[in-house]
Amino acid sequence: GQQVMQIPQYQHVQEGEDFTTYCNSSTTLSNIQWYKQRPGGHPVFLIQLVKSGEVKKQKRLTFQFGEAKKNSSLHITATQTTDVGTYFCAGPDNYGQNFVFGPGTRLSVLP
Amino acid sequence: EPEVTQTPSHQVTQMGQEVILRCVPISNHLYFYWYRQILGQKVEFLVSFYNNEISEKSEIFDDQFSVERPDGSNFTLKIRSTKLEDSAMYFCASSHRGGGYEQYFGPGTRLTVT
């Protein structure tokens, strides 16, 4: 079945440093979504990428979808303590109806 | 802003007991989902529901699980005979469209099986 992997598993950064998490799928994806889960919270939708090579920005967050549509990345510029949480990528399963979540990257930001 | 709600926030039950987790999806959404997340682990898909029937289910969603939309607003997950390994956070989500449209998650129900 489809597998979605993420690296790194954990990342500790000093406030102000940049952060990147990478997502890789074993199969080509029709689209990919990113979610953020704060400690003790629930996943919150961040963005959806659909097109090959697509790049989208949300303030300090930059999302990329690979040319082959099998990988994606999330880059945060100048991290803040409010960025703390686990970032999950999620891609549609083989039927295209539901999402398989990656294992997530847990970000800690030291003030 | 509309949101998905879930009750209870925490449920403690004894092994072998039945539990029902309740969710109220966003009112104009048509697709409903249940996920679970064992502490510190990833979000795992359980089941999706559309047009009053299950559209997809995972291997986790075995005969002990069932879902129902008893009325126009509630969406429930029933676990017939709970096991210790069912202890997890259970999230309900809803979306306006299927096929990868953004999903809105509820705050979750923490199920503890003793």
Side-chain angles (χ1 to χ4, degrees):
Chain A
Q2 179 195 17
Q3 292 186 1
V4 178
M5 306 301 295
Q6 280 184 258
I7 54 170
Q9 189 177 359
Y10 302 97
Q11 183 82 61
H12 306 277
V13 299
Q14 205 71 38
E15 189 173 19
E17 291 181 339
D18 292 355
F19 159 76
T20 304
T21 173
Y22 299 91
C23 175
N24 289 284
S25 170
S26 58
T27 59
T28 301
L29 301 169
S30 58
N31 65 78
I32 195 162
Q33 294 189 358
W34 285 91
Y35 290 80
K36 177 184 178 181
Q37 185 177 28
R38 286 205 163 97
H42 59 277
V44 174
F45 173 82
L46 293 177
I47 209 157
Q48 180 183 43
L49 303 169
V50 179
K51 299 176 185 175
S52 169
E54 187 171 12
V55 178
K56 285 188 177 180
K57 291 191 176 185
Q58 288 179 352
K59 297 182 181 177
R60 294 177 296 104
L61 276 61
T62 302
F63 303 85
Q64 282 191 310
F65 200 10
E67 293 291 339
K69 300 183 75 172
K70 294 181 72 173
N71 60 312
S72 180
S73 65
L74 157 60
H75 179 81
I76 303 178
T77 303
T79 54
Q80 300 174 358
T81 53
T82 52
D83 295 326
V84 165
T86 301
Y87 292 85
F88 294 97
C89 62
D93 65 14
N94 293 332
Y95 302 97
Q97 290 299 315
N98 302 292
F99 276 84
V100 174
F101 278 74
T105 295
R106 186 177 298 175
L107 173 64
S108 298
V109 180
L110 305 173
Chain B
E1 186 174 324
E3 57 184 22
V4 176
T5 60
Q6 289 185 244
T7 55
S9 57
H10 192 187
Q11 175 87 52
V12 181
T13 189
Q14 287 192 328
M15 195 167 52
Q17 296 294 307
E18 173 184 287
V19 293
I20 297 177
L21 310 183
R22 302 179 193 279
C23 168
V24 179
I26 293 173
S27 61
N28 65 342
H29 285 185
L30 303 175
Y31 295 80
F32 315 116
Y33 312 85
W34 282 101
Y35 293 87
R36 80 170 185 191
Q37 185 177 35
I38 295 169
L39 186 63
Q41 298 187 24
K42 69 175 183 179
V43 177
E44 298 176 293
F45 167 74
L46 293 179
V47 66
S48 62
F49 193 87
Y50 169 70
N51 201 26
N52 284 320
E53 60 183 22
I54 291 173
S55 50
E56 288 291 333
K57 60 182 181 179
S58 72
E59 292 174 354
I60 302 168
F61 194 88
D62 61 22
D63 291 344
Q64 293 299 311
F65 291 88
S66 62
V67 289
E68 203 175 36
R69 189 155 162 81
D71 52 43
S73 59
N74 290 284
F75 180 50
T76 63
L77 173 69
K78 182 193 289 185
I79 308 175
R80 267 180 264 285
S81 178
T82 50
K83 303 187 281 284
L84 293 176
E85 53 264 38
D86 292 327
S87 295
M89 182 72 89
Y90 287 81
F91 291 108
C92 172
S94 69
S95 65
H96 186 61
R97 297 202 305 254
Y101 207 65
E102 70 178 270
Q103 297 179 29
Y104 290 82
F105 282 73
T109 293
R110 180 168 297 284
L111 176 65
T112 302
V113 182
T114 61

